[in-house]
Amino acid sequence: MAAAERAIRARIPLVDLVLEIPATSAFEPRRRRSLEELDERWLVALNKADLADPTETEKWVAFMKQRGSSCVTVNSHSRESINELLNAVRGRIREIKHGVSDCTGTVLLVGIPNVGKSAIINAMHQIGRIGAEEKGKLRHAIISSHPGETRDISGYKVASHPNIYVLDTPGVLSPIFADDESGPKLILTGAIKDSLIEEHEIAQFLLSVLNLRKEYRELEDLNVLGDKSCFADALSTRSHHTKRQYSSDHTQDFIVRGVRQALFETIATFQGDLGNEDDLRRLVEIQLTSLQNAFRLSAESSEVISKRVATKLLNIYRTGRLGHYTLDRVPDVTQEVAA
């Protein structure tokens, strides 16, 4: 990662635009820059907007604009969203090139591991290639659910008139976390390999976050609305044919509903003080026990059961089946100014 950071630093002065995944996912040297050092050549991409809380996303967009940073929300699985990103990049390149269309622009995409950089690259490259006069060969950046798959800096053409090339970069992670919550957040989102910490502990952190933010209200809404806010398209597609139910498949709709219901009921009926660490820890353990039934797991050793519950819970969270959540809250501007 040190070598990758040096390579990225060396290229930043050479490119026309830097596309950045922000907050906890930010490229660490960028995070250390002050407000006065903000460069107009940087464009912020709030990626995985389809998995985030829409209300928090709106707050982040407003916050970025308030700080003078151009910002765009991105869902790499949405053609419309990628087109919006491409238009934003084209617009910035034209501004930088003073309106000249017969030119070449370069964009550097930076962020920590496993935040969807390669997925964005592939979507931009595919859509940009469709509109290009010379199609060229379709290339694919490596995509994986595991961090650290991108090892080298590679260029992909994403637009013509002006010609724009985006450089995909390896994820760079700082050896020092910005605060106490950064590490657990990065592990929870998959930016750090799960093998470095017990999945049971990651699941405990997820449940603690959910409990403290009272997001069980969203879990209740998801059940009442028939999952429309989370994966209506998938349900409408499946409604045309009957799908057999397998209790061993934790991704099936009836299992996911049961998990959300179990979480809602345990939080809603808990009588302890969630501001007390011991009470919060006790609630998390109650929930993990309840989830054994929700996932339809047979009786095994407690260690095996805990691992299986944690693995299944993290999977449905990371794929958005548990709901839409944003781990990074928008900073309090008044506190920043006071500091």
Side-chain angles (χ1 to χ4, degrees), residues 43-64:
L43 175 64
V44 173
L46 298 177
N47 193 31
K48 301 189 180 182
D50 52 316
L51 301 179
D53 181 340
T55 301
E56 289 299 317
T57 299
E58 291 177 2
K59 292 179 181 178
W60 269 110
V61 171
F63 174 76
M64 290 296 177

Side-chain angles (χ1 to χ4, degrees), residues 274-286:
L274 296 183
N276 181 286
E277 290 188 10
D278 292 334
D279 282 357
L280 179 60
R281 191 177 299 111
R282 183 161 56 89
L283 172 58
V284 168
E285 291 306 317
I286 292 173

